[in-house]
Amino acid sequence: IGNSVMGNEIPGLLIGNGQKRVHFNASFHANEWITTPIVMTFLNDYLLSLTNQSSIRGIYTLPLYLQTYLSIVPMVNPDGVDLVLNGPPANETVRANVIEWNNGSTDFSDWKANINGVDLNDQFPAEWELERERNPKTPGPRDYGGESPLSEPESIAMADLTREMDFARVLAFHTQGEVIYWGFQGLEPPESEQLVNEFARVSGYEPVQTFDSYAGYKDWFIQDWRRPGFTVELGLGTNPLPISQFDEIYEEALGIFLVALFW
């Protein structure tokens, strides 16, 4: 769907043959990279069930394929994920910058931003100025929303995809907290509450309508389309969540994935 600051491709996947367009994304935030294998494992299980004509949790998936056109962007922030997992890149200028922005440390486990030190989930034109007002004004590991909305190639790619695809609903997968944020400024439609209650039922997560936060991807989607948008905070603990939590998180998320397709 586009390229990152460092020129890495941002893959997008499309599966399905239906009229209803649903979107999942993961790894907006670098140290929340566990969301990528969670989403990809669901994709694998979904494709296997279609191929083998089998069910997931008693639900046959061919009807989901026929009614839903699913878009997945499994890693919005490839440069940031690489930074968290593998440390700073070889490019001397970039390396010097990210270490400086990280207070001189080469431990990037707390890094959420892209390689420019911009928090990609503070980049969308949905009360962006309010978020900027209270957040850092210079690049860093988290919460710096850039000098203007949609300044970064990764957030531009996501905005372009969303405008082009005209999604019925979007789910952005983050960590952590076991909560699902589903409102923005009272602009969400009534069906958002019905959907989030179903997500909560199958996952055990807590629905939270409003949170003192702006300029996120789901905020912008709700604001501009007046359709259901959700930020799903998977798992509990300190980011990055350990891979040892993978199975537990996947079992909690699986119901959300399925409901998002068939509801």
Side-chain angles (χ1 to χ4, degrees):
I1 66 164
N3 294 85
S4 69
V5 174
M6 300 290 289
N8 291 307
E9 291 183 348
I10 303 170
L13 301 150
L14 296 169
I15 175 173
N17 198 28
Q19 295 300 306
K20 182 175 63 184
R21 296 185 172 196
V22 174
H23 172 73
F24 299 162
N25 65 60
S27 290
F28 251 98
H29 287 143
N31 65 347
E32 300 172 12
W33 59 263
I34 199 171
T35 55
T36 293
I38 293 284
V39 169
M40 290 300 288
T41 298
F42 170 70
L43 176 66
N44 190 58
D45 288 350
Y46 185 37
L47 294 173
L48 280 171
S49 73
L50 289 167
T51 304
N52 299 327
Q53 299 180 24
S54 59
S55 64
I56 302 177
R57 288 197 178 165
I59 296 169
Y60 281 91
T61 52
L62 182 59
L64 305 185
Y65 179 90
L66 295 175
Q67 77 181 38
T68 304
Y69 191 54
L70 175 62
S71 155
I72 300 178
V73 176
M75 189 179 287
V76 175
N77 184 6
D79 301 347
V81 170
D82 192 48
L83 182 64
V84 169
L85 293 177
N86 300 314
N91 180 294
E92 287 184 17
T93 304
V94 176
R95 184 183 182 89
N97 284 340
V98 294
I99 290 172
E100 180 186 342
W101 297 334
N102 201 39
N103 296 316
S105 172
T106 54
D107 177 3
F108 288 91
S109 55
D110 288 336
W111 190 276
K112 293 175 70 176
N114 75 347
I115 205 78
N116 281 341
V118 176
D119 192 316
L120 296 175
N121 207 40
D122 284 334
Q123 263 274 287
F124 290 85
E127 304 289 1
W128 178 86
E129 294 78 8
L130 290 178
E131 194 70 5
R132 167 148 177 102
E133 209 171 275
R134 64 184 186 170
N135 278 345
K137 305 299 186 288
T138 54
R142 56 178 297 156
D143 302 333
Y144 169 60
E147 290 305 300
S148 62
L150 301 179
S151 65
E152 303 305 294
E154 299 92 345
S155 51
I156 292 168
M158 286 301 300
D160 287 348
L161 175 75
T162 306
R163 293 186 187 110
E164 177 191 339
M165 293 293 293
D166 194 32
F167 297 123
R169 66 183 62 133
V170 303
L171 287 82
F173 290 92
H174 290 249
T175 56
Q176 51 74 42
E178 297 189 351
V179 297
I180 306 169
Y181 298 111
W182 60 277
F184 182 69
Q185 306 288 77
L187 301 174
E188 65 280 356
E191 67 183 289
S192 295
E193 186 169 12
Q194 297 171 314
L195 253 173
V196 80
N197 286 336
E198 192 63 14
F199 292 153
R201 185 184 69 79
V202 297
S203 65
Y205 285 12
E206 179 189 358
V208 176
Q209 183 173 8
T210 54
F211 182 63
D212 186 21
S213 178
Y214 311 97
Y217 173 75
K218 75 104 170 108
D219 303 331
W220 171 70
F221 181 77
I222 292 171
Q223 171 191 273
D224 280 24
W225 279 269
R226 302 295 203 272
R227 294 175 186 166
F230 305 91
T231 298
V232 183
E233 299 281 359
L234 299 171
L236 276 179
T238 303
N239 292 326
L241 296 181
I243 201 71
S244 59
Q245 283 196 33
F246 182 91
D247 291 346
E248 181 184 347
I249 293 171
Y250 183 66
E251 285 305 309
E252 294 165 352
L254 182 55
I256 296 173
F257 294 135
L258 292 170
V259 168
L261 294 183
F262 73 68
W263 186 270

